[in-house]
Amino acid sequence: MFTGMRRGEACGLEWEDINLEQGSITVRRSSYYLPGLGTYTDTPKTKLSKRIIAINDKVINILLSVRRRQSELGIVSKRVFTYRNGKPLNPSSVTKYFHNFIEEHDLPSCCVHTLRHTNASLLIAAKTPITTVAGRLGHSTPEITLRLYAHQMSEENKKAAEAIEKML
């Protein structure tokens, strides 16, 4: 939610990808799953998906909490997010857990990818430059971001028209 990362990118994170001092995450890989092959690591979706995402203190504290929990459980892994046995997460397990969490807490139905869309929508609503939003999301061009989030832009366009009307 805070980073806009894809599910597989988050599952592929390794501790070496996180710079707590600079407050950044470097996306270098993604985790995937195929029956018969299992969970494996490969490059992210696009060339520009390899990127650096700035993170805030809240995310840093969450990551420190994850590291402490792994240590308490005796998990020794390069991966940030693992099963209790230290093995890399199957991205589909994240989806299953997320759906169960939504159901158990009687929240509106949505999928893990909705968190990515929410991140982008909030950045756009905060008037973050579209090139910055595209970069954080790892889109190959800002045009992709504009196409996917045109509804957000049209809402801002309406607000701009209303602001001009009030001023004049």
Side-chain angles (χ1 to χ4, degrees), residues 137-153:
L137 295 174
H139 287 161
S140 56
T141 67
E143 288 74 25
I144 290 173
T145 310
L146 286 169
R147 188 178 71 240
L148 291 171
Y149 299 100
H151 64 284
Q152 289 292 328
M153 302 305 282

Side-chain angles (χ1 to χ4, degrees), residues 40-90:
Y40 67 99
T41 303
D42 203 346
T43 57
K45 187 175 178 183
T46 68
K47 186 176 171 183
L48 290 177
S49 291
K50 290 184 176 182
R51 62 199 186 278
I52 296 174
I53 303 170
I55 55 174
N56 59 35
D57 288 341
K58 187 168 196 134
V59 174
I60 290 170
N61 288 329
I62 291 168
L63 290 167
L64 289 171
S65 174
V66 169
R67 187 185 285 170
R68 268 191 309 277
R69 184 74 175 139
Q70 282 184 335
S71 179
E72 290 167 4
L73 293 172
I75 295 171
V76 178
S77 176
K78 295 188 301 185
R79 290 294 172 99
V80 175
F81 303 110
T82 65
Y83 292 108
R84 288 180 178 266
N85 63 7
K87 294 198 186 271
L89 282 177
N90 171 345

